[in-house]
Amino acid sequence: MGKKKTIHKFIFPTLTSNYFIRVSSVAILAYLFFTYLFIPVHISGTSMEPTYHDGSINFTWRLHYLFNKPERYDIVTVRFAGKKVMLLKRVVALAGETVEFKNGKLLVNGKKIEEPYVRYPCNWDLEPRLVEEGNVYLVGDNRNMPLKQHTFGQTSIKRIMGVPLW
Amino acid sequence: MVNSKLVKVALILIIGGIALYFFLQSEEGKIRKELNLLTELISREGEEPALILAQKARRTGLLFTETCDYESKSHSYSGHYTRQEIIRQTAAARSQFSSLKLKLYDLQIEFPTEKTAKVILTASVKGQTKAGEEVNDTHEIELTLKKIEKEWLINYVKVVEVLAK
C-alpha cells in the first residue's frame, strides 16, 4: 500500500510551491548544462567516417580547452554558423607548420604523418600551405571523396567549441 | 476575484502588444522584418507561374541597394551586382528549383553608424532542383545594410569562410 502511494505521489505530485521551485531549478540547471557545458550534437554527413558515423549522437565538452591548446590528432567541434551548426574534424597541423597532400598522404613540414584513423583510399594532392598564427588545420578522417567535396582547411582556434565526449 | 484576474490578463496582453509594436517599429525590428520578407520571397513550394516568379524576383531586388557587393571564397559568383542583375540572377536561380526553403536564424544585429547595420546570421537552404538533385547547404553570412529613405537595404553580402583550404 505504501509503495503504491509513493508511486502515485511520484506520478501525480501535489502541486505545491516547493514542487514548482524544484522543477524550475532542475529545468534551469539542465538548460545551462546542455547549453554551455555538454552541447548535444547530431552528426550529419560522412566526413569523419569510420571514426564517427552519419546520424550518430554525441556531446561537445566545452571545457576541454579551458587550460589546454588543441594538439595534433585531437578531434574537435568547430563553430561553423551561428550557435547551432558545428563541424566535426581532426586537427592535423598547428600554427607555423606547413601542410600538404601528396598522393593521398598527409605531409606536415615536408614529413609524412602517420594517420591510422584514415581507413579508406585517398588520392588527394594539395600544394603546401602555411598554417597562420592563431589557427589550426583541420581535416576529416574520410578522404575517400574528391578533394573539392571535402570541407577542410585552417580555422581560428577561437572557433573551436570543444571535443566530442566519446 | 474573476474580474481582477481578467484585468491582469488584459493588462499583460496590452503591455505585450505595445512592446511588440515598438519592437517592430525599432530599427532592429525593421531589419528582422525585411529579412523575413527575403526568406518568403526566395522560398518556393511547387510550380510557380512565370508572372509570380518575375514579381518575386523584382521584389527581392528591391530589398537591395542599387548596387551590391557579394563576396565568397568558395563560390565563383563574387563581385559587384546591380539591382537588375540581382533580379535576373534571383529569377534564374529560383526557376531551377521545384522546391526551395531559405531559413535565416541566429541573427546578431549591430549598428556601427546610424544609417548602417551589420548583421551576422546563419542561412540554410534546403530544396530540390527540377533535375531531382537535393540541395542542403548552411553558411554563416555577414550582411551590411544601409538606411536609404527610411528603408534598410542590403548593400553587402559575405559568405564567411570558416575553413580555408
Side-chain angles (χ1 to χ4, degrees), chain A residues 9-10 13-30:
Chain A
K9 209 177 166 188
F10 181 78
T14 317
L15 303 179
T16 60
S17 56
N18 271 348
Y19 170 77
F20 282 112
I21 290 169
R22 278 204 304 273
V23 168
S24 309
S25 307
V26 170
I28 290 167
L29 282 175

Side-chain angles (χ1 to χ4, degrees), chain A residues 78-85 87 129 137-138 147-148 150-155 159, chain B residues 105-108 120-124 136-141 160-165:
Chain A
V78 176
R79 195 177 68 76
F80 185 65
K83 296 167 195 162
K84 294 170 193 151
V85 188
L87 293 173
R129 56 218 51 225
Y137 206 90
L138 307 172
L147 183 127
K148 276 190 177 174
H150 191 104
T151 306
F152 71 96
Q154 60 178 294
T155 193
R159 277 200 174 255
Chain B
Y105 53 96
D106 283 344
L107 272 73
Q108 290 174 51
I120 295 173
L121 54 85
T122 303
S124 94
N136 188 355
D137 213 357
T138 302
H139 285 285
E140 186 165 295
I141 306 285
V160 176
E161 192 189 34
V162 177
L163 295 178
K165 273 182 185 161

